Amino acid sequence: MKKLGLFGYPVGHSFSKIFFGEKFDREQLQDWEYELYPIEKIEKLKSFLKDEPEMVGFNVTVPYKVAVVNYLDEIDPLALTIGSVNTVSIIETQIGKKLKGYNTDAYGFEKSFKPLLNTSINKALILGTGGSSRAVKYVLRDLNIPYTSVSRNKHDNRIQYDEVTEATLQEHNIIINTTPVGMFPNVDEAPLIPYQFINKDHLLFDLIYNPEETLFLKKGREAGARTKNGLEMLLLQSDKCWEIWNPTVGVRGQESGVSV
């Protein structure tokens, strides 16, 4: 049996187990399984993996996409540039197993987000500054879309939520939520921005996909904005993960990387 899984805390909201379970059933891959692993402290990762010799790879979700880098033996150049890892391959070597990190979030986000763009796009407002936001920033830079980050904490290159004004939303007609605010089971929550100033010229993208429509997206839709959730992004990045983990496609363990 070859085991895959999702590490984070919490993980109960994730559809990854369903996605891969259906994939394994559909393709009759009876020797693969995917599980959810809620780990309260990232320090427990290595000891957990020692007890799971059949584990060949895993995904990483909040709040460990940045911290997991410190537990890797090697990192893919793209993930190193982004500064965030959401996919890890466990590679067998002559001197034992090594962990190699990748970022497939950027791929999934770009493929899902890019078709939404039009000539009226000006600037993006990124809500949150965690690991997922780093992949979003990478894609926006690649697409030459300027952005402003919003955080709960004061910092030189970002603003706080109480600094988001009508003028801010007039200047930024893309709003991307990279935080877990509004994710199941806390479906009655939404990032604290002045939704009354959102209009039909705005595009709201939420990396959350459970629930299907977050309160953030609902408020945007009711104001006339275009909206999209993160489900397609999840499916796209999951397919990219599978290419990394599945040795039959000739990818796992063969790419270039940087030792860490």
Side-chain angles (χ1 to χ4, degrees), residues 66-213:
V66 176
V68 74
V69 171
N70 297 321
Y71 296 84
L72 303 176
D73 302 295
E74 192 175 347
I75 185 167
D76 179 75
L78 175 62
L80 184 66
T81 299
I82 293 172
S84 174
V85 166
N86 75 305
T87 305
V88 176
S89 178
I90 302 176
I91 303 170
E92 297 282 356
T93 72
Q94 292 181 343
I95 58 174
K97 295 182 178 181
K98 72 174 183 179
L99 305 183
K100 182 172 180 179
Y102 302 81
N103 187 297
T104 64
D105 280 338
Y107 170 83
F109 174 70
E110 181 171 9
K111 293 293 185 182
S112 183
F113 172 74
K114 193 173 180 179
L116 303 175
L117 300 180
N118 57 41
T119 55
S120 66
I121 294 301
N122 46 35
K123 294 179 67 176
L125 198 66
I126 304 175
L127 309 181
T129 54
S132 296
S133 74
R134 298 188 180 200
V136 169
K137 291 174 186 177
Y138 175 86
V139 172
L140 293 180
R141 288 194 296 268
D142 191 55
L143 295 174
N144 295 313
I145 297 174
Y147 60 81
T148 300
S149 294
V150 185
S151 173
R152 291 174 297 177
N153 303 313
K154 190 72 175 177
H155 197 278
D156 290 342
N157 61 358
R158 65 186 69 152
I159 64 174
Q160 293 179 283
Y161 283 91
D162 59 6
E163 296 177 286
V164 179
T165 64
E166 179 179 6
T168 307
L169 295 183
Q170 288 177 349
E171 183 183 0
H172 302 76
N173 62 359
I174 308 173
I175 309 174
I176 304 169
N177 179 38
T178 71
T179 77
V181 177
M183 183 173 67
F184 178 85
N186 302 311
V187 296
D188 294 327
E189 298 178 359
L192 298 177
I193 61 173
Y195 293 92
Q196 66 270 27
F197 301 126
I198 292 174
N199 57 50
K200 62 180 179 59
D201 296 323
H202 283 93
L203 164 64
L204 273 64
F205 193 108
D206 200 333
L207 270 59
I208 295 172
Y209 52 84
N210 184 11
E212 181 177 355
E213 184 179 60

